[in-house]
Amino acid sequence: MDLTDFIRGMPKSENHVHLEGTLEAEMKFALAKRNGMDLPFADVAAMKASYVYHDLPSFLAIYYDGMKVLQKEPDFYDLTYAYLAKAASQNVIYTEMFFDPQEHLKRGVAMADVIGGITRARHDAEQALGIRSQLILCFVRDLSAESAMEALDAALPFKADLVGVGLDSDEAGNPPEKFREHFAKARAHGLKVTAHCDVDQIDTLQNLRTVLTDLSLDRIDHGGNIVQSPELVAIAKERGIYFTVCPTFSGTLRRTEEVPVDIVRAMLDAGLNVTISSDDPAYMGSEYMDDVLIRAVERSALTREDLITIARNGFESAWLPEADKAAMVARLDAYVNAA
């Protein structure tokens, strides 16, 4: 079996995907029509042609503008079910999904509609498609700390539908310690904690140090610059930290490197616990899990053994009971032994 076929058949997890980042252009038009909204594009092709970005801020401008069509509970249901159906079709059997409630709350959308639509789709997809999922509330770090706390407070009545909190959006001037109280409150309510440490940002290594040694987060999203610090690599390995790496958008270190460094390859070679995810596939060429892994085989010189390690890391890093994780790893092992 060649590696492409091996990837397509392999049971997988995805632990770094933004639900709003799976909002395909076709669905934007459908939701806009349902909600009586006009979009400034003639058709799907014109909308997709507008997805031009060169850095994180330019990407985020497109990303946040696109989610305005999400207005009501059925919109969040349709968005979530469409992603889960796509993921299940690629043998993703478990996923942990981010969502950005602050962006919806500030447009007057109720938290009950946001979480309610997502949760209803999660349950329906598990019953119909066999894909298990959990939900992570992300704080939008370039909005105010007060706004993030308001979102957390609004979500806590629905904490049974959440597994953790995260931290995303523009890292510049918004270090993780800005959300110290939010993380502590989430933990007090039994939620796990992660944070984006985006690639080649200002103070990235300091932010990595903060989440590793000060805030002691449970997981790190992206985090590729850690390979530039042997000290931080050692700390991450000692703590057994898992990294959710998204090579489609954050695949290389460039800002301080004479020759670009492939992040996945460098992190694997450093002995770090790497997982791979799609991030925001609707804005990144509609490349979902299979596509990302297939491209990574060539880009990062991945072997069959690397792919197995990455898949196993995905299950072992999941915020699930140990017995559930072991069952998923056993399913992976059975596939590997039979392939």
Side-chain angles (χ1 to χ4, degrees):
M1 184 183 296
D2 68 21
L3 288 184
T4 294
D5 290 339
F6 182 76
I7 288 167
R8 293 194 190 282
M10 182 171 62
K12 295 175 281 287
S13 68
E14 177 161 42
N15 298 342
H16 185 149
V17 60
H18 299 266
L19 273 175
E20 295 92 342
T22 70
L23 180 55
E24 294 285 353
E26 292 83 357
M27 182 173 285
K28 283 187 192 177
F29 275 97
L31 296 183
K33 181 178 180 180
R34 186 162 77 190
N35 292 325
M37 301 173 64
D38 293 324
L39 297 177
F41 303 100
D43 52 29
V44 166
M47 179 180 285
K48 289 184 176 181
S50 74
Y51 297 168
V52 179
Y53 47 85
H54 59 275
D55 58 10
L56 183 58
S58 61
F59 167 78
L60 291 171
I62 298 167
Y63 170 74
Y64 288 128
D65 184 69
M67 66 176 68
K68 292 177 181 178
V69 299
L70 296 165
Q71 297 283 336
K72 301 173 183 177
E73 192 267 5
D75 303 339
F76 293 93
Y77 177 94
D78 290 348
L79 170 71
T80 305
Y81 197 93
Y83 161 69
L84 291 171
K86 180 68 174 181
S89 76
Q90 297 191 352
N91 282 315
V92 175
I93 63 173
Y94 175 75
T95 179
E96 292 175 3
M97 310 170 294
F98 295 123
F99 75 118
D100 289 322
Q102 285 160 272
E103 292 296 321
H104 308 301
L105 294 176
K106 73 183 186 183
R107 291 185 285 104
V109 183
M111 184 69 81
D113 288 339
V114 179
I115 295 181
I118 294 170
T119 301
R120 188 163 61 89
R122 289 178 49 225
H123 291 164
D124 286 355
E126 184 168 1
Q127 290 296 314
L129 307 173
I131 181 170
R132 188 170 176 182
S133 62
Q134 296 199 86
L135 187 60
I136 301 170
L137 183 157
C138 260
F139 302 124
V140 179
R141 67 199 308 160
D142 46 337
L143 297 179
S144 70
E146 292 77 15
S147 168
M149 189 63 81
E150 289 170 3
L152 178 59
D153 287 340
L156 284 176
F158 309 95
K159 69 178 181 180
D161 299 320
L162 303 174
V163 70
V165 299
L167 182 62
D168 64 9
S169 202
D170 195 350
E171 195 164 336
N174 299 290
E177 57 265 32
K178 174 180 173 180
F179 300 90
R180 183 186 304 277
E181 294 182 7
H182 308 67
F183 294 153
K185 188 170 190 175
R187 279 204 170 103
H189 284 273
L191 300 174
K192 296 286 190 177
V193 180
T194 186
H196 283 47
C197 289
D198 284 297
V199 171
D200 285 346
Q201 302 299 300
I202 296 173
D203 297 327
T204 293
L205 289 178
Q206 179 55 48
N207 291 342
L208 279 163
R209 182 180 298 279
T210 297
V211 300
L212 280 169
T213 65
D214 182 9
L215 301 177
S216 297
L217 268 56
D218 300 297
R219 203 161 65 199
I220 295 175
D221 304 308
H222 298 303
N225 289 87
I226 196 169
V227 298
Q228 297 170 323
S229 170
E231 178 194 4
L232 293 180
V233 167
I235 294 171
K237 290 169 68 174
E238 181 180 4
R239 288 197 54 209
I241 292 293
Y242 288 87
F243 294 80
T244 66
V245 179
C246 302
T248 302
F249 188 68
S250 302
T252 56
L253 301 180
R254 294 180 181 273
R255 188 165 62 87
T256 59
E257 303 294 335
E258 293 183 8
V259 178
V261 173
D262 183 85
I263 288 172
V264 172
R265 185 73 265 158
M267 293 179 80
L268 286 172
D269 290 346
L272 294 165
N273 296 322
V274 175
T275 74
I276 285 182
S277 295
S278 66
D279 207 355
D280 299 284
Y283 295 94
M284 299 173 182
S286 295
E287 292 191 354
Y288 290 81
M289 277 297 293
D290 280 355
D291 314 293
V292 174
L293 286 168
I294 290 166
R295 185 182 292 271
V297 166
E298 180 175 357
R299 178 176 187 167
S300 305
L302 298 183
T303 65
R304 175 185 165 110
E305 289 69 29
D306 290 331
L307 290 167
I308 296 167
T309 296
I310 290 166
R312 183 173 285 109
N313 285 344
F315 294 128
E316 291 180 346
S317 65
W319 289 338
L320 285 168
E322 290 300 322
D324 293 2
K325 293 193 287 187
M328 291 179 180
V329 171
R331 186 169 168 180
L332 171 65
D333 289 342
Y335 171 77
V336 169
N337 293 333

